[in-house]
């Protein structure tokens, strides 16, 4: 497809996790990023955590230098990370909450309590030409807060919805999907670009793609889990097909 109405951002953190388990240089997250792009990814996401448990400073530098598609630098809104992002100059920075004890990013940003700080960081990165995205819960209040913070982009946390589906909790899943839908609509009304991610697989990616306001999905864990069995390129192609099918379904509805 020459023009993609829905972008796929591939998160390569898990490749770095595997590399770090042995302490050597393999597998290389940059190689995964280059292969992902060749297979149809529209961008690469990498999260430089405070504890450097997967992606390292040098990975972020190499990704910025070597990839031909936009780099989405996922980070906590700390002074240290802001300084590194200003030095790296990625296409975008996705601000996320970060807890040392968590296995992955468990919730959206507390955009109410951290409002003023996020406003300062968003403006600072924006002045440097970095598009800031806020990773938020799919709630009306969070979208309103993102607007008042001045963020040009939000990424809706799809984790609770995916989790409800995984556990067969249909009523909760329906409720969570309705929240995602309302948040995506409101973002669009407020001229905020809307992304989504966390815990997505082929089926949930297809479903979330039915929401026409969502223009980017960021996916990591499932793609690399699939890659073990079918290869990364095949997993990305199947994901792309699922997203395109969902988008076509949404447009036809
Ligand atoms: N988007 C954000 C902001 C994330 O923190 C993560 C997890 O690192 C993802 C997307 C991707 O989630 P997953 O690895 O579950 O696909």
């Amino acid at each position: 497809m020459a023009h993609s109405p829905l972008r796929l951002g591939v998160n390569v953190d898990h490749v770095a996790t595997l590399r770090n388990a042995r302490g050597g240089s393999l597998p290389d997250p940059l190689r995964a990023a280059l292969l992902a792009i060749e297979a149809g990814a529209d961008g690469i996401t990498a999260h430089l955590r405070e504890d450097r448990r997967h992606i390292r400073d040098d990975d972020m530098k190499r990704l910025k230098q070597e990839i031909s598609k936009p780099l989405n630098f996922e980070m906590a809104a700390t002074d240290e990370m802001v300084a590194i992002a200003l030095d790296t100059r990625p296409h975008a920075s996705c601000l996320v909450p970060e807890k040392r004890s968590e296995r992955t990013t468990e919730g959206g940003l507390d955009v109410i309590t951290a409002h003023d700080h996020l406003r300062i960081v968003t403006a600072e990165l924006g002045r440097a030409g970095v598009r800031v995205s806020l990773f938020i819960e799919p709630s009306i209040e969070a979208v309103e807060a993102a607007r008042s913070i001045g963020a040009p982009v939000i990424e809706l946390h799809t984790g609770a919805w995916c989790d409800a589906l995984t556990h067969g909790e249909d009523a909760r899943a329906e409720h969570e999907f309705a929240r995602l839908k309302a948040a995506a609509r409101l973002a669009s009304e407020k001229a905020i670009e809307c992304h989504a991610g966390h815990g997505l697989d082929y089926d949930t990616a297809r479903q979330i793609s039915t929401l026409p306001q969502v223009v980017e999905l960021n996916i990591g864990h499932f793609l690399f889990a699939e890659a073990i069995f079918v290869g990364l390129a095949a997993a990305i192609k199947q994901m792309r097909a699922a997203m395109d099918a969902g988008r076509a379904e949404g447009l036809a509805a």
Side-chain angles (χ1 to χ4, degrees):
M1 193 187 291
H3 170 71
S4 168
L6 177 59
R7 297 188 298 269
L8 170 60
V10 173
N11 181 319
V12 296
D13 294 352
H14 292 292
V15 182
T17 301
L18 193 55
R19 173 197 60 193
N20 297 356
R22 269 293 174 101
S25 59
L26 301 174
D28 184 359
L30 172 60
R31 184 174 174 194
L34 294 172
L35 183 60
I37 289 169
E38 207 179 297
D42 301 291
I44 297 298
T45 295
H47 184 178
L48 185 66
R49 281 184 168 264
E50 184 198 9
D51 62 8
R52 311 301 199 266
R53 71 170 77 151
H54 38 58
I55 295 292
R56 299 178 186 141
D57 301 54
D58 170 57
D59 294 325
M60 207 52 105
K61 272 199 199 114
R62 289 191 308 133
L63 285 166
K64 174 65 187 2
Q65 277 165 11
E66 305 288 337
I67 64 173
S68 57
K69 295 275 166 111
L71 173 65
N72 179 26
F73 186 142
E74 204 182 309
M75 57 183 255
T78 60
D79 291 348
E80 182 200 19
M81 288 303 151
V82 171
I84 297 172
L86 290 174
D87 190 41
T88 310
R89 303 282 164 135
H91 168 79
S93 277
C94 180
L95 303 182
V96 299
E98 211 176 276
K99 287 188 228 126
R100 268 186 181 247
S101 57
E102 70 189 357
R103 269 189 249 166
T104 179
T105 314
E106 283 163 3
L109 285 164
D110 182 352
V111 273
I112 310 289
T113 312
H115 179 283
D116 295 353
H117 176 64
L118 291 170
R119 192 173 163 79
I120 293 166
V121 170
T122 299
E124 193 176 1
L125 290 169
R127 278 194 299 275
V130 179
R131 285 198 95 205
V132 172
S133 151
L134 302 181
F135 189 45
I136 60 170
E137 292 298 317
S139 75
I140 297 303
E141 301 75 43
V143 178
E144 302 272 14
R147 161 98 171 138
S148 128
I149 286 165
V153 184
I154 54 165
E155 180 169 325
L156 298 176
H157 197 310
T158 50
W161 171 57
C162 294
D163 182 66
L165 286 170
T166 303
H167 292 94
E169 297 171 22
D170 294 350
R172 184 162 73 95
E174 218 170 283
H175 171 72
E176 289 297 337
F177 192 72
R179 294 178 80 217
L180 285 160
K181 196 170 175 175
R185 276 202 184 138
L186 182 63
S188 163
E189 276 164 34
K190 306 227 172 252
I192 302 174
E193 186 172 306
C194 186
H195 302 175
H198 210 282
L200 295 172
D201 59 16
Y202 295 136
D203 198 40
T204 45
R206 182 190 56 73
Q207 286 183 63
I208 198 83
S209 300
T210 62
L211 303 182
Q213 299 87 1
V214 174
V215 299
E216 180 174 308
L217 300 183
N218 285 302
I219 308 179
H221 187 262
F222 178 81
L223 281 174
F224 286 98
E226 277 293 285
I228 291 171
F229 304 107
V230 302
L232 183 57
I236 287 174
K237 285 186 178 133
Q238 194 168 337
M239 184 57 78
R240 185 73 252 177
M243 290 164 61
D244 291 343
R247 179 50 41 100
E249 210 179 293
L251 291 175

